[in-house]
mmCIF file of all heavy atoms in Angstrom:
data_model
loop_
_atom_site.group_PDB
_atom_site.id
_atom_site.type_symbol
_atom_site.label_atom_id
_atom_site.label_comp_id
_atom_site.label_asym_id
_atom_site.label_seq_id
_atom_site.Cartn_x
_atom_site.Cartn_y
_atom_site.Cartn_z
ATOM 1 N N GLU A 324 -26.234 84.247 -25.637
ATOM 2 C CA GLU A 324 -26.244 83.744 -27.011
ATOM 3 C C GLU A 324 -25.150 84.405 -27.848
ATOM 4 O O GLU A 324 -24.471 83.741 -28.649
ATOM 5 C CB GLU A 324 -27.611 83.973 -27.665
ATOM 6 C CG GLU A 324 -28.740 83.109 -27.116
ATOM 7 C CD GLU A 324 -29.224 83.576 -25.744
ATOM 8 O OE1 GLU A 324 -28.906 84.738 -25.363
ATOM 9 O OE2 GLU A 324 -29.899 82.794 -25.069
ATOM 10 N N ASN A 325 -24.945 85.693 -27.665
ATOM 11 C CA ASN A 325 -23.901 86.394 -28.416
ATOM 12 C C ASN A 325 -22.516 85.909 -28.017
ATOM 13 O O ASN A 325 -21.627 85.737 -28.865
ATOM 14 C CB ASN A 325 -24.009 87.904 -28.201
ATOM 15 C CG ASN A 325 -25.220 88.508 -28.886
ATOM 16 O OD1 ASN A 325 -25.773 87.921 -29.811
ATOM 17 N ND2 ASN A 325 -25.640 89.684 -28.431
ATOM 18 N N PHE A 326 -22.329 85.703 -26.715
ATOM 19 C CA PHE A 326 -21.041 85.205 -26.249
ATOM 20 C C PHE A 326 -20.778 83.808 -26.820
ATOM 21 O O PHE A 326 -19.673 83.498 -27.270
ATOM 22 C CB PHE A 326 -21.008 85.154 -24.721
ATOM 23 C CG PHE A 326 -19.709 84.642 -24.161
ATOM 24 C CD1 PHE A 326 -18.614 85.483 -24.035
ATOM 25 C CD2 PHE A 326 -19.571 83.310 -23.773
ATOM 26 C CE1 PHE A 326 -17.404 85.018 -23.522
ATOM 27 C CE2 PHE A 326 -18.374 82.832 -23.264
ATOM 28 C CZ PHE A 326 -17.290 83.689 -23.137
ATOM 29 N N ALA A 327 -21.817 82.958 -26.811
ATOM 30 C CA ALA A 327 -21.675 81.599 -27.329
ATOM 31 C C ALA A 327 -21.327 81.609 -28.813
ATOM 32 O O ALA A 327 -20.505 80.810 -29.281
ATOM 33 C CB ALA A 327 -22.961 80.813 -27.091
ATOM 34 N N GLU A 328 -21.920 82.527 -29.560
ATOM 35 C CA GLU A 328 -21.631 82.609 -30.986
ATOM 36 C C GLU A 328 -20.199 83.070 -31.239
ATOM 37 O O GLU A 328 -19.513 82.547 -32.135
ATOM 38 C CB GLU A 328 -22.628 83.565 -31.662
ATOM 39 C CG GLU A 328 -22.383 83.802 -33.141
ATOM 40 C CD GLU A 328 -22.446 82.537 -33.981
ATOM 41 O OE1 GLU A 328 -23.001 81.510 -33.517
ATOM 42 O OE2 GLU A 328 -21.928 82.554 -35.111
ATOM 43 N N GLU A 329 -19.737 84.040 -30.468
ATOM 44 C CA GLU A 329 -18.353 84.484 -30.603
ATOM 45 C C GLU A 329 -17.383 83.353 -30.245
ATOM 46 O O GLU A 329 -16.340 83.187 -30.872
ATOM 47 C CB GLU A 329 -18.098 85.702 -29.704
ATOM 48 C CG GLU A 329 -18.766 86.971 -30.197
ATOM 49 C CD GLU A 329 -18.258 87.385 -31.563
ATOM 50 O OE1 GLU A 329 -17.044 87.253 -31.831
ATOM 51 O OE2 GLU A 329 -19.087 87.835 -32.380
ATOM 52 N N TYR A 330 -17.744 82.603 -29.227
ATOM 53 C CA TYR A 330 -16.923 81.458 -28.819
ATOM 54 C C TYR A 330 -16.856 80.454 -29.972
ATOM 55 O O TYR A 330 -15.774 79.943 -30.321
ATOM 56 C CB TYR A 330 -17.545 80.806 -27.577
ATOM 57 C CG TYR A 330 -16.703 79.727 -26.914
ATOM 58 C CD1 TYR A 330 -16.101 79.953 -25.681
ATOM 59 C CD2 TYR A 330 -16.553 78.483 -27.496
ATOM 60 C CE1 TYR A 330 -15.347 78.967 -25.072
ATOM 61 C CE2 TYR A 330 -15.803 77.480 -26.891
ATOM 62 C CZ TYR A 330 -15.204 77.728 -25.666
ATOM 63 O OH TYR A 330 -14.471 76.759 -25.054
ATOM 64 N N ARG A 331 -18.000 80.148 -30.569
ATOM 65 C CA ARG A 331 -18.046 79.171 -31.659
ATOM 66 C C ARG A 331 -17.166 79.613 -32.822
ATOM 67 O O ARG A 331 -16.453 78.799 -33.425
ATOM 68 C CB ARG A 331 -19.489 78.996 -32.141
ATOM 69 C CG ARG A 331 -19.666 77.894 -33.199
ATOM 70 C CD ARG A 331 -21.012 77.996 -33.889
ATOM 71 N NE ARG A 331 -21.140 79.228 -34.656
ATOM 72 C CZ ARG A 331 -20.589 79.412 -35.862
ATOM 73 N NH1 ARG A 331 -19.865 78.461 -36.424
ATOM 74 N NH2 ARG A 331 -20.749 80.557 -36.494
ATOM 75 N N LYS A 332 -17.197 80.907 -33.146
ATOM 76 C CA LYS A 332 -16.405 81.402 -34.271
ATOM 77 C C LYS A 332 -14.914 81.389 -33.968
ATOM 78 O O LYS A 332 -14.087 81.285 -34.872
ATOM 79 C CB LYS A 332 -16.859 82.820 -34.638
ATOM 80 C CG LYS A 332 -18.248 82.857 -35.263
ATOM 81 C CD LYS A 332 -18.577 84.225 -35.840
ATOM 82 C CE LYS A 332 -18.689 85.293 -34.771
ATOM 83 N NZ LYS A 332 -19.142 86.601 -35.324
ATOM 84 N N THR A 333 -14.563 81.493 -32.682
ATOM 85 C CA THR A 333 -13.159 81.537 -32.298
ATOM 86 C C THR A 333 -12.558 80.135 -32.148
ATOM 87 O O THR A 333 -11.390 79.917 -32.466
ATOM 88 C CB THR A 333 -12.993 82.302 -30.967
ATOM 89 O OG1 THR A 333 -13.591 83.589 -31.091
ATOM 90 C CG2 THR A 333 -11.523 82.452 -30.601
ATOM 91 N N ALA A 334 -13.347 79.211 -31.684
ATOM 92 C CA ALA A 334 -12.828 77.867 -31.385
ATOM 93 C C ALA A 334 -12.647 77.037 -32.653
ATOM 94 O O ALA A 334 -13.486 77.073 -33.554
ATOM 95 C CB ALA A 334 -13.786 77.145 -30.439
ATOM 96 N N PRO A 335 -11.564 76.270 -32.731
ATOM 97 C CA PRO A 335 -11.435 75.312 -33.835
ATOM 98 C C PRO A 335 -12.534 74.256 -33.746
ATOM 99 O O PRO A 335 -13.063 73.984 -32.670
ATOM 100 C CB PRO A 335 -10.060 74.677 -33.582
ATOM 101 C CG PRO A 335 -9.358 75.565 -32.617
ATOM 102 C CD PRO A 335 -10.430 76.216 -31.810
ATOM 103 N N LYS A 336 -12.877 73.683 -34.873
ATOM 104 C CA LYS A 336 -13.792 72.548 -34.843
ATOM 105 C C LYS A 336 -13.069 71.342 -34.244
ATOM 106 O O LYS A 336 -11.866 71.173 -34.432
ATOM 107 C CB LYS A 336 -14.270 72.206 -36.251
ATOM 108 C CG LYS A 336 -15.170 73.236 -36.894
ATOM 109 C CD LYS A 336 -15.561 72.792 -38.298
ATOM 110 C CE LYS A 336 -16.410 73.855 -38.983
ATOM 111 N NZ LYS A 336 -16.752 73.466 -40.382
ATOM 112 N N VAL A 337 -13.824 70.531 -33.554
ATOM 113 C CA VAL A 337 -13.280 69.298 -32.992
ATOM 114 C C VAL A 337 -14.040 68.131 -33.611
ATOM 115 O O VAL A 337 -15.247 67.996 -33.434
ATOM 116 C CB VAL A 337 -13.416 69.269 -31.454
ATOM 117 C CG1 VAL A 337 -12.899 67.939 -30.905
ATOM 118 C CG2 VAL A 337 -12.645 70.427 -30.835
#
Side-chain angles (χ1 to χ4, degrees):
E324 290 75 16
N325 289 340
F326 180 81
E328 177 60 18
E329 288 299 321
Y330 188 109
R331 185 194 65 78
K332 290 190 294 186
T333 305
K336 292 179 183 177
V337 177

